[in-house]
Amino acid sequence: MNDNKAKVVAQYALMFAVITVAMSLDRLMSLALPVSMAIFVLLVTNSLAMLDNRWISAILAGTFFGLASLLKVFIFPNATAQYNLNPLVSVLPRVIMGITLFGIYRLMLLATKKMRSAYGRQTLCMTVAVLVGLLTNTVLYLFALNTYQVILGQTDQTLIDVIKALVIVNILPEYLVSLILVPHLVLGVRRGLKLGIDGNLWKSDNILPETDNGGNNAQ
């Protein structure tokens, strides 16, 4: 039991480290660009959230994304630091993103039971889930930003307008990368780790029964 607990702790510690590294890579890449991008961290967070088909993984992936955003303020301070220091702005929207992402994924699996192609079904479900998760993150982050601005009694609207403009400009490349790559990345890693196409850790590719555990059909 202790070994299992240690394995789980190590697994999620590695998840946090990977998400933090991805965010750092985005920051370094942004130094050469006119805008700040979050391509790598969104790709990694969305992928890890669905990798093993467990609620806790999705929630922790979103939480770690938010914590990495908070940590980034101290490592790479910028004009948005005063807002992102508040966990209600930097962390909470990402936690809800993880919950929404996985919830939509499970609902889509239930709605697509009759699809014959297991790979196609998983790809469709993940693509829709990622889209809803990304929209949740964007909308809630901007809402939290506006709310916090009101609480602080900000009178200068320029910085907020710039932040909103950057978020909107970034949406297309960030969304496209995650929407296109996440399903194939997740399914490839599931296969490599022998988690089964549905990602259940307690199944193997060769002994999947004809059940619908968590909304998943056998291959």
Side-chain angles (χ1 to χ4, degrees), residues 42-147:
L42 288 174
L43 174 63
V44 169
T45 300
N46 283 298
S47 299
L48 291 174
M50 289 184 288
L51 184 59
D52 60 7
N53 197 1
R54 292 191 292 185
W55 279 99
I56 185 63
S57 295
I59 294 171
L60 286 177
T63 302
F64 292 156
F65 176 23
L67 291 175
S69 298
L70 183 60
L71 182 62
K72 185 181 71 171
V73 173
F74 300 96
I75 302 175
F76 303 107
N78 55 27
T80 65
Q82 62 174 319
Y83 304 104
N84 289 325
L85 277 172
N86 187 337
L88 296 178
V89 176
S90 57
V91 180
L92 184 59
R94 280 62 190 261
V95 176
I96 299 175
M97 169 192 167
I99 296 172
T100 304
L101 169 78
F102 197 75
I104 295 298
Y105 172 60
R106 283 292 185 87
L107 288 174
M108 285 296 299
L109 285 172
L110 290 174
T112 57
K113 285 182 179 180
K114 295 183 178 180
M115 284 188 66
R116 293 187 176 182
S117 170
Y119 194 97
R121 179 189 179 210
Q122 289 286 336
T123 299
L124 174 63
C125 293
M126 288 185 198
T127 301
V128 174
V130 169
L131 177 59
V132 175
L134 290 171
L135 288 171
T136 299
N137 176 56
T138 300
V139 171
L140 290 183
Y141 177 75
L142 291 178
F143 175 77
L145 198 64
N146 272 330
T147 302

Side-chain angles (χ1 to χ4, degrees), residues 112-219:
T112 57
K113 285 182 179 180
K114 295 183 178 180
M115 284 188 66
R116 293 187 176 182
S117 170
Y119 194 97
R121 179 189 179 210
Q122 289 286 336
T123 299
L124 174 63
C125 293
M126 288 185 198
T127 301
V128 174
V130 169
L131 177 59
V132 175
L134 290 171
L135 288 171
T136 299
N137 176 56
T138 300
V139 171
L140 290 183
Y141 177 75
L142 291 178
F143 175 77
L145 198 64
N146 272 330
T147 302
Y148 193 41
Q149 179 200 16
V150 172
I151 293 174
L152 291 178
Q154 294 282 350
T155 57
D156 184 5
Q157 186 67 21
T158 303
L159 177 58
I160 297 296
D161 289 339
V162 169
I163 295 172
K164 291 178 181 178
L166 289 176
V167 169
I168 293 173
V169 169
N170 292 350
I171 280 178
L172 184 59
E174 291 174 354
Y175 279 34
L176 284 177
V177 169
S178 287
L179 289 171
I180 294 172
L181 296 184
V182 166
H184 305 293
L185 179 60
V186 171
L187 292 172
V189 175
R190 282 180 179 179
R191 188 180 300 277
L193 295 179
K194 301 186 184 302
L195 301 180
I197 199 168
D198 59 4
N200 288 309
L201 288 173
W202 52 89
K203 294 180 179 180
S204 72
D205 286 333
N206 298 322
I207 57 173
L208 287 175
E210 293 295 332
T211 61
D212 193 21
N213 190 350
N216 300 302
N217 292 330
Q219 296 184 58

